[in-house]
Amino acid sequence: MHRVERWADTHHPIWIDFLRIGLGIFLMVKGIIFLGDSEAIFAMLRKSEFPWVSIGLAHYVGFAHLVGGLFIAIGLITRVAILFQLPILLGAVFFINPERGFYSENTELWSSIIVLILLIVFLIYGSGKFSVDRLIRKPKKDWLY
């Protein structure tokens, strides 16, 4: 893992940090939308054979997107936050969105695929130069470099 981190630190262009921040903000917005859409949550509960599992899953998805998106955006324990996001996106790509089909108008499927790919990229690259993780790891004199 240390070799991967060292490689990612030396091969990490700054524009990737802005992409990470955008991804985190996107996930936070999706969490707010998900928690605000009570009808979708109730529809998920009605379809489920185990409503208590669906309630827990709805809370997990909303909380993981809100808090995980914030952590990804500011670059705080980014890889851990991504690990909490991966099951949600894998479920969205392989179980939830394919029911609607793979046609070009299924934007939820395509956005889920793009977010999943970005999460995997940032799982490898880490948080980058503009992150709280870097501020914590580096001495104060190296903050700007």
Side-chain angles (χ1 to χ4, degrees):
M1 189 64 166
H2 292 293
R3 288 177 52 191
V4 171
E5 277 189 40
R6 219 174 303 124
W7 178 87
D9 285 343
T10 58
H11 296 86
H12 196 101
I14 292 176
W15 63 268
I16 288 184
D17 286 347
F18 293 110
L19 189 62
R20 174 188 46 82
I21 292 167
L23 174 65
I25 292 170
F26 177 78
L27 287 171
M28 284 188 336
V29 169
K30 289 298 276 186
I32 291 168
I33 291 170
F34 182 78
L35 291 175
D37 189 6
S38 59
E39 183 57 37
I41 295 172
F42 289 132
M44 185 172 62
L45 291 174
R46 283 191 296 268
K47 287 184 196 175
S48 176
E49 294 179 29
F50 305 102
W52 60 89
V53 174
S54 295
I55 291 171
L57 186 63
H59 284 87
Y60 173 75
V61 169
F63 183 76
H65 278 346
L66 282 174
V67 176
L70 175 66
F71 283 7
I72 291 169
I74 65 173
L76 179 63
I77 55 172
T78 306
R79 287 187 174 110
V80 174
I82 288 171
L83 289 175
F84 280 99
Q85 300 293 324
L86 285 177
I88 298 168
L89 270 298
L90 288 170
V93 168
F94 292 110
F95 300 113
I96 305 297
N97 291 325
E99 293 176 358
R100 299 179 190 142
F102 287 99
Y103 56 91
S104 63
E105 293 177 8
N106 189 357
T107 58
E108 282 293 317
L109 175 64
W110 293 110
S111 66
S112 296
I113 290 171
I114 291 168
V115 169
L116 179 62
I117 291 168
L118 287 174
L119 287 173
I120 292 169
V121 165
F122 288 113
L123 186 64
I124 295 167
Y125 270 100
S127 52
K129 294 180 182 179
F130 297 118
S131 67
V132 175
D133 284 342
R134 183 175 174 96
L135 292 176
I136 292 170
R137 280 187 286 154
K138 298 292 181 186
K140 288 186 180 182
K141 65 178 181 171
D142 289 342
W143 280 6
L144 299 176
Y145 302 106

